[in-house]
């Protein structure tokens, strides 16, 4: 596109964003509190149960499990902690390899590093933005072999201990194919579903396909607890171990302090869970409104010949963070520069994990689609618009 064509495209894009969000600076994603948040927080304070004990944690865990159609939820202080604990529970140990994607938020790889494991980066699909089953299978066929103790990477003999696909911006990846491939290799799948609360494959919620899924309730996610996360699973013994490991591994007893392993203090405080309970009551209308925002962007893109990142067939996205694709890196940068200058916050995708100093030594495939997407993705404002807040009723 010529520079002047880009300029006029951006001006029309800004007009589209302002039609939805109005005047003033427009953030990328901000939380909305339109339900019983204050009431539940006040009740929590009045009851004195603000910290590590309280009914709201259990209520929130049950609520999220019910919404996601999983049997159990274990709340944690944030999504990174949920991932770290889930990796430990899946048996990931020091020196192991874990297959994941290079197009992800840093938290995915930080959790792997906390577990003293190294990521292996396989490519994503251009349409889903998530891990490519084809790339996963190619990497395994080329580099892995089955041994008695499980699959290992051939040249190093290191165990391939888990696979962590991520549902990018809320769009479900091809999780069923990934679970099938990993099943053939005996590799447990942990879904990083931090961005995909409210996203489904068919009628099954993301996070429920692998042995465990992890969610985040950070301030920029679909709903927030201030900071928070959760492990969801259908496995009762994993859920019990998750609760134990994230609450200092204390054996239940009326007065004795006996801890049977090095546990984490990853439990979500009752105050944060109270906020989460109120937010969860707004989730369905929030998702409906976010879908309307996506509809507006999709219409804009269709009439201006701009590729809109939409979910793949057979899936329902929560449209956590909408994205368009520029024609080139240069065009992406020009769109970012001009929209931000005009008070509309837009962002590129994360730098690929393989290009960060801590992970540059890690194994990877050609990452061609990851690089192609990194050059082109522009995220657009995606919050619930002010004008629609009145429609959020518990
Ligand atoms: C938000 C997020 C997390 C978890 O983040 P926390 O801030 O620790 O809750 C993990 N993975 C991805 C992909 C995320 O976007």
């Amino acid at each position: 596109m010529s520079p002047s064509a880009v300029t006029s495209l951006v001006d029309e894009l800004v007009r589209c964003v302002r039609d939805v969000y109005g005047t003033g600076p427009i953030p990328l994603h901000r939380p909305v509190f339109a339900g019983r948040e204050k009431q539940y927080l006040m009740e929590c304070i009045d009851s004195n149960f603000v910290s590590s004990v309280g009914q709201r944690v259990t209520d929130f865990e049950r609520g999220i499990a019910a919404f996601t159609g999983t049997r159990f939820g274990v709340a944690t202080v944030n999504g990174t902690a949920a991932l770290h604990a889930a990796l430990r529970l899946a048996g990931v140990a020091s020196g192991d390899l874990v297959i994941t994607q290079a197009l992800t938020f840093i938290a995915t790889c930080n959790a792997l590093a906390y577990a003293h494991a190294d990521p292996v980066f396989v490519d994503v699909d251009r349409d889903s933005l998530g891990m490519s089953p084809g790339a996963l299978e190619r990497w395994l066929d080329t580099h892995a072999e089955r041994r008695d103790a499980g699959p290992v990477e051939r040249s190093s003999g290191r165990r391939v201990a888990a696979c962590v696909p991520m549902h990018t911006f809320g769009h479900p990846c091809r999780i069923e194919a990934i679970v099938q491939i990993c099943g053939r290799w005996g590799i447990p799948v942990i879904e990083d579903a931090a961005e995909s609360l409210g996203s489904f494959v068919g009628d099954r919620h993301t996070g429920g396909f692998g042995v465990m899924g992890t969610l985040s309730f950070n301030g920029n996610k679909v709903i927030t607890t201030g900071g928070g996360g959760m492990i969801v699973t259908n496995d009762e013994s994993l859920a019990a171990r998750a609760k134990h490991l994230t609450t200092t591994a204390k054996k239940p007893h009326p007065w004795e302090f006996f801890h049977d392993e090095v546990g984490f203090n990853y439990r979500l405080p009752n105050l944060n869970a109270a906020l989460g309970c109120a937010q969860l009551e707004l989730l369905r209308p929030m998702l409906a409104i976010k879908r309307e925002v996506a509809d507006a962007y999709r219409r804009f893109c269709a009439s201006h010949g701009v590729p809109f990142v939409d979910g793949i067939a057979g899936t329902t996205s929560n449209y956590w963070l909408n994205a368009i694709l520029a024609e080139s890196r240069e065009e992406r940068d020009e769109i970012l520069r001009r929209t931000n200058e005009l008070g509309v916050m837009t962002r590129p995708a994360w730098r690929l994990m393989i290009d960060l100093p801590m992970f540059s030594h890690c194994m990877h495939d050609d990452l061609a689609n990851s690089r192609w997407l990194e050059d082109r993705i522009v995220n657009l404002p995606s919050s619930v618009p002010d004008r629609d807040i009145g429609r959020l009723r518990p």
Side-chain angles (χ1 to χ4, degrees):
M1 226 183 267
S2 72
S4 68
V6 175
T7 304
S8 73
L9 174 71
V10 171
D11 289 352
E12 287 178 48
L13 176 61
V14 165
R15 210 166 305 138
C16 168
V17 173
R18 294 211 175 277
D19 280 346
V20 175
Y21 289 103
T23 55
I26 314 296
L28 202 63
H29 207 287
R30 59 118 168 83
V32 284
F33 304 108
R36 301 193 176 103
E37 287 87 353
K38 284 184 185 165
Q39 181 195 326
Y40 290 178
L41 282 171
M42 292 303 285
E43 285 171 9
C44 199
I45 291 165
D46 289 340
S47 75
N48 260 355
F49 287 102
V50 296
S51 187
S52 53
V53 178
Q55 185 58 35
R56 283 300 183 191
V57 174
T58 310
D59 293 345
F60 188 51
E61 289 173 339
R62 290 198 177 135
I64 291 289
F67 183 87
T68 58
T70 49
R71 289 180 64 208
F72 306 98
V74 176
T76 57
V77 282
N78 56 53
T80 313
L83 263 173
H84 181 203
L87 289 165
R88 277 279 296 266
L89 292 164
V92 174
S94 188
D96 285 345
L97 298 174
V98 174
I99 304 172
T100 188
Q101 53 197 68
L103 182 73
T104 187
F105 178 55
I106 189 70
T108 315
C109 291
N110 280 343
L112 289 172
Y114 303 161
H116 305 289
D118 271 330
V120 171
F121 299 113
V122 300
D123 209 1
V124 296
D125 284 328
R126 282 194 191 185
D127 53 359
S128 74
L129 312 184
M131 182 182 287
S132 161
L136 170 66
E137 189 151 46
R138 259 192 309 281
W139 189 88
L140 285 167
D141 286 343
T142 313
H143 297 280
E145 65 182 44
R146 294 177 175 81
R147 301 237 178 108
D148 290 344
V152 298
E153 196 276 328
R154 221 177 260 128
S155 68
S156 64
R158 294 169 73 182
R159 224 162 63 92
V160 181
C163 176
V164 183
M166 197 274 281
H167 303 287
T168 309
F169 305 146
H171 303 303
C173 67
R174 292 185 164 82
I175 188 63
E176 288 169 302
I178 290 167
V179 166
Q180 221 169 57
I181 293 162
C182 287
R184 287 202 289 275
W185 281 88
I187 298 170
V189 174
I190 299 168
E191 292 173 74
D192 184 345
E195 304 182 355
S196 65
L197 179 64
S199 302
F200 297 81
V201 177
D203 57 4
R204 285 176 67 191
H205 197 280
T206 52
F209 291 85
V211 286
M212 284 169 279
T214 60
L215 303 172
S216 169
F217 309 107
N218 191 40
N220 63 344
K221 295 293 177 6
V222 176
I223 63 168
T224 187
T225 56
M230 199 174 291
I231 298 171
V232 291
T233 183
N234 292 312
D235 183 316
E236 187 164 14
S237 84
L238 271 178
R241 285 170 58 210
K243 184 53 99 179
H244 186 66
L245 186 65
T246 55
T247 56
T248 73
K250 183 181 179 294
K251 281 291 180 196
H253 191 278
W255 58 82
E256 283 283 1
F257 289 101
F258 185 76
H259 307 261
D260 62 358
E261 64 180 310
V262 177
F264 301 116
N265 180 15
Y266 279 174
R267 189 185 166 96
L268 185 73
N270 205 45
L271 263 181
N272 300 76
L275 192 60
C277 288
Q279 287 268 286
L280 185 53
E281 293 175 347
L282 306 177
L283 179 55
R284 280 175 205 282
M286 275 187 190
L287 291 168
I289 292 165
K290 287 175 74 66
R291 173 162 299 279
E292 292 172 7
V293 173
D295 290 343
Y297 287 142
R298 189 184 301 104
R299 278 195 302 274
F300 172 88
C301 286
S303 62
H304 291 79
V306 175
F308 176 65
V309 177
D310 222 331
I312 55 175
T315 68
T316 307
S317 178
N318 63 4
Y319 294 100
W320 170 56
L321 214 48
N322 290 288
I324 57 171
L325 299 179
E327 277 179 8
S328 64
R329 182 109 178 179
E330 295 67 39
E331 188 185 300
R332 179 200 82 169
D333 289 345
E334 183 53 22
I335 295 172
L336 289 167
R337 192 189 62 73
R338 198 167 162 79
T339 47
N340 282 286
E341 209 171 76
L342 293 171
V344 168
M345 187 168 166
T346 59
R347 287 289 181 264
W350 314 278
R351 286 287 292 274
L352 298 187
M353 295 296 115
I354 192 70
D355 293 332
L356 303 180
M358 315 77 86
F359 301 112
S360 59
H361 65 281
C362 295
M363 282 177 242
H364 59 90
D365 65 12
D366 68 10
L367 301 176
N369 292 337
S370 306
R371 296 215 177 273
W372 189 89
L373 287 165
E374 182 192 25
D375 282 344
R376 288 166 177 79
I377 287 171
V378 176
N379 283 125
L380 303 177
S382 301
S383 321
V384 169
D386 285 345
R387 64 174 190 208
D388 294 310
I389 289 177
R391 292 166 58 197
L392 297 175
R393 295 256 185 280

